[in-house]
Amino acid sequence: MKLAILGTGKIVDEVLPVLKEINGIALSAILSTPRSLEKAQKLAEIYGISQASSDYDSILANPDVDTIYVALPNHLHYDYAKKALTSGKHVICEKPFTLTLAEFEDLAKIAEQNNRILLEAITNQYLSNFAAIKGNLAKLGDIKIVECNYSQYSSRYDAFKRGEIAPTFDPEKGGGALRDLNIYNIHLVVGLFGKPEKVQYLANMERGVDTSGILIMDYGHFKAACIGAKDCATEIKSTIQGNKGSIAIIGATNTVPELALSLNNQSMTMINENTLNHRMHDEFVAFQAIIEQEDMTATKLALEHSRAVMEVLDAAINSL
């Protein structure tokens, strides 16, 4: 995979050392705004990236690029991914995929028409502890209640209250708790149980954006509550409760760091099957293999999952 990275933000700083160590990934280009070009050039020097540019067309024209990783603010995902697909590049897009289900469906259609691979970068679906949850679900009996809480006081919230609006709190740029922290909870629940029958989002709104909220996902025979907050904080923990036991995720749903399996009348068992690698390592190992092998079956399955998540997001926003 010959990869071009779009963006120079925090997620790019975090992922570059990871990508550098994965066999089969060549870092070919990095895109920045003109204002951030100096930072892009420094990152290119550190990580051996041959092209650093603020000209997207020049990156798309680079024959040493076959895949675009869209690590830009949420509202830019659709346009940049669409241009990459129509230019014949594969696309890996950061979460949330797009701002609307219609945008996602358009990208999926373009990818299919151009025989290109389109994937969403969502860490928890590729972690070994996520697979361990799946493997232990049957032990819990009939699922009754699922609760996921990813609440983290944002370093930008105080500035937001003063009227300084960063993209993460800008409703016009896809900001808000639902698409930021709660999206990991949604991916986890949908990845385990599929699409719910009904969705309702109860949000705390400030300046037109959800600074925190509770997403109710009704599966008929059980209910799931996904809590995401950027304006307050508590212990970050999730639980899946059945009539024969429970599984607790000790930590955030984007890392799934440790599991506690508690079966009725038995002592608790701690589980951690994750590797010692960074949380983004496993997903990019999977992406590299999918793209190298042009694995359309795996691509289709991943897109079906992302589509279900986008349907939940659309329903949540429409319920406000």
Side-chain angles (χ1 to χ4, degrees):
M1 179 167 66
K2 296 178 286 187
L3 190 64
I5 298 171
L6 308 189
T8 57
K10 181 179 178 181
I11 193 69
V12 173
D13 288 334
E14 193 174 355
V15 78
L16 275 172
V18 179
L19 298 175
K20 187 68 175 176
E21 299 303 317
I22 298 176
N23 291 332
I25 295 182
L27 300 176
S28 300
I30 184 168
L31 177 75
S32 74
T33 63
R35 185 177 61 181
S36 301
L37 184 56
E38 184 177 350
K39 179 179 179 181
Q41 291 169 338
K42 288 181 179 178
L43 290 173
E45 182 179 352
I46 293 169
Y47 294 103
I49 304 171
S50 57
Q51 182 184 14
S53 176
S54 57
D55 180 0
Y56 191 29
D57 287 334
S58 70
I59 287 178
L60 292 175
N62 186 341
D64 290 328
V65 171
D66 62 25
T67 304
I68 301 293
Y69 170 44
V70 182
L72 297 168
N74 296 346
H75 68 294
L76 299 177
H77 289 185
Y78 171 72
D79 288 338
Y80 279 79
K82 182 177 181 178
K83 191 166 185 177
L85 291 169
T86 56
S87 298
K89 308 297 185 182
H90 304 300
V91 170
I92 299 166
C93 189
E94 261 302 327
K95 60 79 188 170
F97 223 133
T98 53
L99 296 190
T100 67
L101 176 62
E103 288 179 344
F104 166 81
E105 294 292 6
D106 191 42
L107 291 182
K109 182 179 179 181
I110 293 168
E112 182 178 13
Q113 290 173 341
N114 289 273
N115 197 33
R116 297 293 87 186
I117 290 169
L118 175 65
L119 298 164
E120 182 177 14
I122 179 69
T123 52
N124 57 23
Q125 299 300 296
Y126 300 89
L127 295 171
S128 296
N129 277 351
F130 178 75
I133 297 173
K134 279 189 169 184
N136 283 285
L137 271 182
K139 298 177 183 177
L140 307 185
D142 296 332
I143 303 301
K144 298 297 183 180
I145 296 290
V146 178
E147 180 187 1
C148 300
N149 193 328
Y150 195 168
S151 297
Q152 186 172 283
Y153 195 90
S154 172
S155 61
R156 296 182 175 90
Y157 180 59
D158 289 339
F160 167 76
K161 290 190 293 183
R162 295 193 300 268
E164 302 168 21
I165 313 300
T168 189
F169 282 108
D170 189 339
E172 299 300 318
K173 295 181 179 179
L178 181 69
R179 291 188 174 105
D180 185 8
L181 299 179
N182 219 351
I183 190 70
Y184 293 112
N185 298 332
I186 298 167
H187 271 284
L188 184 102
V189 174
V190 171
L192 294 172
F193 303 108
K195 189 174 70 171
E197 296 176 6
K198 299 176 184 178
V199 170
Q200 184 179 11
Y201 187 41
L202 308 173
N204 294 315
M205 303 293 293
E206 298 182 45
R207 300 179 184 269
V209 71
D210 58 315
T211 55
S212 57
I214 303 171
L215 178 70
I216 305 299
M217 302 169 71
D218 188 344
Y219 282 87
H221 58 290
F222 75 90
K223 318 303 178 190
C226 293
I227 302 167
K230 299 169 68 65
D231 56 8
C232 56
T234 189
E235 179 186 10
I236 298 174
K237 182 179 178 181
S238 302
T239 57
I240 303 167
Q241 300 169 223
N243 63 352
K244 294 183 179 180
S246 67
I247 293 175
I249 300 170
I250 313 301
T253 48
N254 66 338
T255 55
V256 195
E258 190 173 28
L259 310 175
L261 174 64
S262 300
L263 301 180
N264 294 353
N265 303 316
Q266 296 184 30
S267 59
M268 180 185 297
T269 302
M270 301 305 296
I271 301 171
N272 185 2
E273 297 182 3
N274 283 350
T275 67
L276 296 177
N277 294 306
H278 185 276
R279 65 184 177 88
M280 299 178 75
H281 176 271
D282 291 353
E283 62 176 343
F284 272 93
V285 168
F287 298 153
Q288 190 278 329
I290 289 170
I291 289 171
E292 180 180 339
Q293 298 165 17
E294 297 185 354
D295 188 343
M296 292 304 182
T297 299
T299 300
K300 182 179 179 180
L301 289 172
L303 282 177
E304 287 175 354
H305 167 78
S306 293
R307 177 177 285 108
V309 170
M310 288 304 306
E311 289 173 350
V312 169
L313 279 179
D314 254 30
I317 292 164
N318 290 335
S319 74
L320 288 173

